[in-house]
Amino acid sequence: MGKVSSATMQSAQQLLCDVFGYADFRLHQRDVIACLLAGQDALCLMPTGGGKSLCYQIPAMVMDGVGVIISPLIALMQDQVSALKQLGVRADFLNSSQTQDQQDQVKHALLQGQLDLLYVSPERLMTGAMLDLLGRTNLALFAIDEAHCVSQWGHDFRKEYQQLSVLHQRFPDTPRLAVTATADARTRTEIITELDLHNARRFIASFDRPNIRYAITDEGSGREQLWNFLQTEHATDSGIVYCLSRNKVEDITRWLSQKGRVALPYHAGLDAKIRQHNQSRFLRDEGIIMVATIAFGMGVDKPDVRFVAHLNLPKSIESYYQETGRAGRDGEAANAWMHYGINDVVMQRKWLEQSDAAEHHKQVQCQKLDALLGLCEMTTCRRQSLLGYFDEALREPCGNCDNCLHPPKTFEATHQAQLALSAIYRTGQRFGAVYITEVLTGKQDQRILANGHDHLQVFGMGKDHTALQWRSILRQLIARNLIVADPERHNGLRLDTSARPVLRGEIQIFLRTLKKPSRKNSTKATTSIPVDLAPGDEALWNALKAKRLELAKAQSIPPYIIFHDKTLRQMASDKPLCADDLDSITGIGQSKRERYGQVFLDVIARFV
Ligand code: ADP
Ligand code: ZN
C-alpha cells in the first residue's frame, strides 16, 4: 500500500474548506482519510456527531471513481444526499423509494463516471444485478455506515450486513471503511471478524461528548421538573422526550401541547404514515418536541437537537448513552436530562423477572440496570463514571454535569433507614411505598386505621420529613438492594437479608441529602463554541433563523441543511457585510456562499 502524497492531502484539505466550509479536520478525520487515500482498509469508531461522514466523503471526492456508501436506513440516505447536493457534491442514492426511471438515471450517471458518492442499502447491494453493475463501475472506496448492525450482540442487527464480506472477495483492491458510534469491545470484534477487516487500521476516538451536560434527578414530580427544565433552559428549542410506554407518550404529548409547546408523539403503535409525518416535521420545523418511545432515534440525523430528556429510566447505561448522544451533534451546548422514579425501578425489575429470556441473560440485564441506578444515585462526576463504564478514563471531574456543578450533599441516614426498614417489617412486608410513607409520616388514612397500623410504634416517627422525601429515601434503599419491591405482590416492599446489619446498627448508611422539590436558579448551559450571542444580537439571530426557515420550507428540506445553528450564531455576532467576510464563517463553502450568501447578507444589513 502506497503513501499519500502531500499534494493529495492538500486537495483533501482544500475540499474541506471550499466545499464544506470548515477550517480544520477533527479527531481522526485526517488520518482516516489518508489511510483510504493510500488504498488501505480502516475501522473508525467515533461518537455520534464526531464527523464520520467526512471520513469517506472527502476521499471519495478526491479519488478517481465513485465511493459506495452502505447505509441501513432510506431516510438517512435521502437526508445525506440532499445535504450533499446542497454543497454541490455529485451524490445520489439507489433504493426502493425511487421509480424505475429515477433508478435508471442514477445507474446511467454511475456508469458515465458522473458520481462521486453513491448511497445504497445493504439489501440492494447484495443483489446480483447491483454487484454486476459495480463490476462495470470505476470504484474509489466502500464505506459501511453503522457497521455495528453486523453484530448479533447489539440491538440493531441486520442480517444483510453479515454478507458484506462479499465486497472484499469481489473487489479486493477497493479500500473499505467501516464506521460506527457503538463502542464496546464485543461489537468491535464482531465487526472485524464479520466484515473481514483483520488488516484494517483502527481509529478509535474518545467517546466523550463534552458539549452535553448530564443531569439526573429523582426529586419531585417528573412533569413538574420537566416543565421547569424546559422553561428555564429550552423555551424555544427542539428536543426529544423519551418515555417508556406508548400511553405515556400520548399523555405527555397532550400535556405539553396544552401548555403551549409544539409536541408530537412517536411510538410503534402509531400508523407508519403518522410516524413518518411526525418525524419529518421534527426535522423540518423548528422548536418541535418529539415525545417518543425508544422506537424513535436511530438514523435521525438532526444536528441541532438541543436536549434529550428521559421521563423514565432507560434499560442500561448503553441505552442511556446512545439515546442522550442524539443531543448536540453539532457540537454546541446541549442537555441530557433525566427524571426517574421508584416505579421505573420496580417496572424494569418486573419485566426482567417475567421475561422468558435465559437465566444468564436476565442476570446480565439485572446487572446493567443496577449499574444504571448506580449512575443515577452517585454523588460524584457522572461523566467520569459514564466514560469509565466504556473503559475510558477521564482524569478530572468534568465540570459539566449536575454533580460537578451542584455537588450533592450526603447525610448520615442510618436512623432514617432504620425507621423505613422497621415500618416495612412491622406492617408485614406487603405494602408499597405510598403506604409505608403514610405510616412513617403518621397519616390518618382509612386503610392504615383499618389495619390498626396507627398503633405501631413507628407510626408518625418520620414526621420530620415530607412524603416526597420519604419516597426518595425508600428509592435509594431499593437502589441499594436493602429493600426489594415485589412485583408479584403489587410492588409490596420487603426486606432483603442485607437489611439486617442496618437494623442492628452495625453499618452506617449515607444517602443523598434530601432537597426541596423544585430546584430554582439552574445555570444556563455553557457553550463550547467561541462565539456566544450578545443580548443585543438576539433580534438578528431570530431574523436569520426566520430567513433560514423560509428558504428551507420553499425547498422542503430541513433548515439545518441550509446552515447549522453554529453558522447563524457566528453570522449574528460577526455581522459579515460582504461576500468576502463570509469566508471566515464556519460551514459556508463555495456552493452555499453562492446560493445563500447574499440573502443572509441582506438580512444582516438591515441590522447594522
Ligand atoms: P457522525 O456521522 O459521526 O455522527 P457527522 O458526520 O454527521 O457525524 O458530523 C457531525 C457534524 O459535524 C456535521 O454537522 C458535520 O458537518 C460537522 N463536522 C464534521 N467534520 C467537521 C470539521 N472538521 N469541522 C467542523 N465541523 C465538522
Ligand atoms: Zn462531572
Side-chain angles (χ1 to χ4, degrees):
M1 297 292 154
K3 265 191 73 116
V4 193
S5 73
S6 63
T8 312
M9 275 318 282
Q10 194 69 44
S11 39
Q13 176 82 41
Q14 201 67 45
L15 286 173
L16 178 73
C17 187
D18 294 347
V19 175
F20 296 92
Y22 299 136
D24 299 297
F25 285 118
R26 263 195 205 157
L27 296 169
H28 296 296
Q29 282 176 338
R30 179 191 299 279
D31 297 334
V32 178
I33 290 170
C35 176
L36 288 168
L37 289 175
Q40 245 188 307
D41 294 342
L43 168 65
C44 173
L45 275 68
M46 267 190 208
T48 308
K52 289 183 284 297
S53 329
L54 285 191
C55 292
Y56 50 81
Q57 288 166 350
I58 288 187
M61 290 160 70
V62 172
M63 292 158 95
D64 249 7
V66 63
V68 178
I69 322 304
I70 296 103
S71 174
L73 292 162
I74 291 181
L76 193 62
M77 244 182 244
Q78 285 165 340
D79 268 11
Q80 291 227 11
V81 168
S82 27
L84 286 165
K85 284 184 171 166
Q86 286 278 324
L87 295 168
V89 178
R90 306 186 307 167
D92 224 315
F93 55 78
L94 274 176
N95 65 40
S96 52
S97 74
Q98 293 163 303
T99 63
Q100 193 56 48
D101 248 15
Q102 289 171 322
Q103 300 192 21
D104 289 343
Q105 272 173 26
V106 176
K107 286 177 194 164
H108 182 73
L110 183 69
L111 291 170
Q112 294 295 307
Q114 288 162 357
L115 289 180
D116 282 322
L117 288 157
L118 176 71
Y119 286 75
V120 289
S121 64
E123 299 85 296
R124 169 59 65 107
L125 184 75
M126 282 306 136
T127 59
M130 187 71 211
L131 289 170
D132 288 344
L133 180 67
L134 292 182
R136 285 178 283 140
T137 306
N138 185 11
L139 295 171
L141 58 88
F142 288 110
I144 300 155
D145 203 2
E146 313 282 0
H148 63 279
C149 290
V150 81
S151 159
Q152 302 212 44
W153 171 246
H155 30 58
D156 297 328
F157 176 59
R158 299 276 295 246
K159 191 165 85 279
E160 301 81 14
Y161 263 71
Q162 295 203 317
Q163 294 153 19
L164 289 177
S165 56
V166 166
L167 293 179
H168 189 41
Q169 290 144 24
R170 283 206 50 164
F171 309 100
D173 298 329
T174 307
R176 295 170 304 148
L177 168 68
V179 298
T180 175
T182 299
D184 66 272
R186 182 158 179 173
T187 309
R188 199 181 308 168
T189 316
E190 260 187 288
I191 293 174
I192 292 169
T193 319
E194 293 293 336
L195 297 179
D196 193 2
L197 282 170
H198 301 280
N199 294 323
R201 284 196 54 193
R202 292 164 204 188
F203 300 93
I204 297 166
S206 163
F207 271 72
D208 190 13
R209 302 283 309 279
N211 60 315
I212 298 183
R213 171 176 297 177
Y214 300 97
I216 302 177
T217 177
D218 63 352
E219 287 168 29
S221 100
R223 286 188 189 208
E224 238 169 69
Q225 297 282 341
L226 175 67
W227 187 246
N228 190 20
F229 164 73
L230 290 176
Q231 290 306 91
T232 49
E233 309 226 12
H234 299 288
T236 59
D237 293 330
S238 73
I240 307 171
V241 176
Y242 279 114
C243 305
L244 211 53
S245 68
R246 297 171 187 186
N247 281 343
K248 188 156 174 184
V249 165
E250 296 287 349
D251 216 31
I252 296 293
T253 311
R254 229 173 293 127
W255 170 71
L256 283 172
S257 308
Q258 277 161 8
K259 291 214 146 216
R261 298 290 299 247
V262 188
L264 298 173
Y266 192 105
H267 57 71
L270 286 171
D271 188 68
K273 271 220 185 74
I274 297 179
R275 273 203 317 255
Q276 185 54 42
H277 176 76
N278 290 353
Q279 171 162 339
S280 59
R281 268 196 72 194
F282 179 64
L283 297 179
R284 279 161 178 65
D285 291 356
E286 297 198 65
I288 291 198
I289 300 178
M290 190 62 117
V291 187
T293 60
I294 50 168
F296 179 73
M298 185 184 166
V300 176
D301 206 352
K302 182 175 164 65
D304 54 355
V305 174
R306 292 270 68 85
F307 66 89
V308 169
H310 281 92
L311 274 179
N312 295 105
L313 273 183
K315 280 200 175 51
S316 61
I317 292 185
E318 287 92 336
S319 327
Y320 172 73
Y321 206 61
Q322 189 180 45
E323 285 148 28
T324 56
R326 292 175 183 139
R329 294 173 71 123
D330 55 9
E332 290 211 65
N335 276 300
W337 179 95
M338 173 161 115
H339 182 278
Y340 70 104
I342 195 163
N343 292 336
D344 294 332
V345 183
V346 172
M347 283 298 285
Q348 297 253 13
R349 293 221 164 117
K350 177 172 157 186
W351 284 342
L352 264 178
E353 271 162 40
Q354 288 177 349
S355 88
D356 34 56
E359 200 48 43
H360 171 70
H361 178 76
K362 283 189 191 178
Q363 276 170 14
V364 170
Q365 291 305 315
C366 202
Q367 276 169 20
K368 288 190 171 189
L369 181 59
D370 283 347
L372 179 63
L373 279 174
L375 177 77
C376 294
E377 302 262 329
M378 67 183 303
T379 51
T380 52
C381 178
R382 301 214 200 259
R383 192 182 313 270
Q384 277 183 321
S385 160
L386 268 173
L387 290 174
Y389 188 82
F390 296 113
D391 295 326
E392 191 178 324
L394 183 69
R395 252 172 241 279
E396 301 288 324
C398 76
N400 194 27
C401 72
D402 53 350
N403 286 352
C404 283
L405 291 162
H406 319 274
K409 297 193 182 71
T410 57
F411 74 114
E412 208 264 310
T414 315
H415 174 63
Q416 285 84 344
Q418 286 171 338
L419 281 183
L421 295 173
S422 89
I424 293 166
Y425 188 71
R426 298 285 166 205
T427 52
Q429 310 202 61
R430 55 200 170 95
F431 294 98
V434 174
Y435 190 93
I436 299 299
T437 299
E438 290 177 350
V439 170
L440 285 162
T441 53
K443 193 166 172 208
Q444 302 282 339
D445 178 79
Q446 278 292 300
R447 277 205 305 161
I448 293 179
L449 299 179
N451 290 330
H453 288 153
D454 53 328
H455 295 305
L456 292 175
Q457 199 192 351
V458 70
F459 182 78
M461 287 269 282
K463 275 210 173 86
D464 293 351
H465 296 301
T466 63
L468 279 175
Q469 290 173 327
W470 275 114
R471 291 292 290 268
S472 166
I473 293 173
L474 289 171
R475 195 159 45 237
Q476 294 193 52
L477 296 176
I478 291 177
R480 285 167 195 224
N481 286 318
L482 293 169
I483 303 175
V484 181
D486 189 349
E488 293 307 312
R489 294 160 62 201
H490 307 287
N491 299 329
L493 303 179
R494 61 180 161 79
L495 307 191
D496 186 82
T497 46
S498 58
R500 262 185 235 145
V502 180
L503 275 169
R504 288 199 297 256
E506 288 164 11
I507 49 172
Q508 285 187 313
I509 295 287
F510 286 87
L511 296 179
R512 254 174 189 265
T513 304
L514 309 164
K515 285 172 229 151
K516 297 275 165 283
S518 81
R519 193 193 272 172
K520 291 274 155 52
N521 59 36
S522 57
T523 38
K524 261 276 175 223
T526 48
T527 82
S528 60
I529 53 159
V531 277
D532 213 331
L533 213 54
D537 294 336
E538 218 160 283
L540 172 54
W541 158 249
N542 287 327
L544 291 168
K545 273 178 66 165
K547 176 54 76 183
R548 177 177 67 174
L549 190 59
E550 176 194 319
L551 294 169
K553 290 247 146 144
Q555 301 175 67
S556 317
I557 54 172
Y560 56 79
I561 287 196
I562 297 193
F563 285 132
H564 278 188
D565 284 0
K566 199 169 192 161
T567 306
L568 292 197
R569 290 246 263 180
Q570 211 183 335
M571 281 191 199
S573 68
D574 294 4
K575 303 184 191 56
L577 294 175
C578 61
D580 282 350
D581 293 349
L582 290 176
D583 279 347
S584 62
I585 294 190
T586 186
I588 309 186
Q590 272 160 11
S591 155
K592 289 203 175 165
R593 189 171 64 193
E594 280 160 25
R595 216 183 282 222
Y596 305 117
Q598 198 52 50
V599 189
F600 283 89
L601 287 173
D602 290 347
V603 174
I604 295 165
R606 294 210 311 266
F607 284 81
V608 188

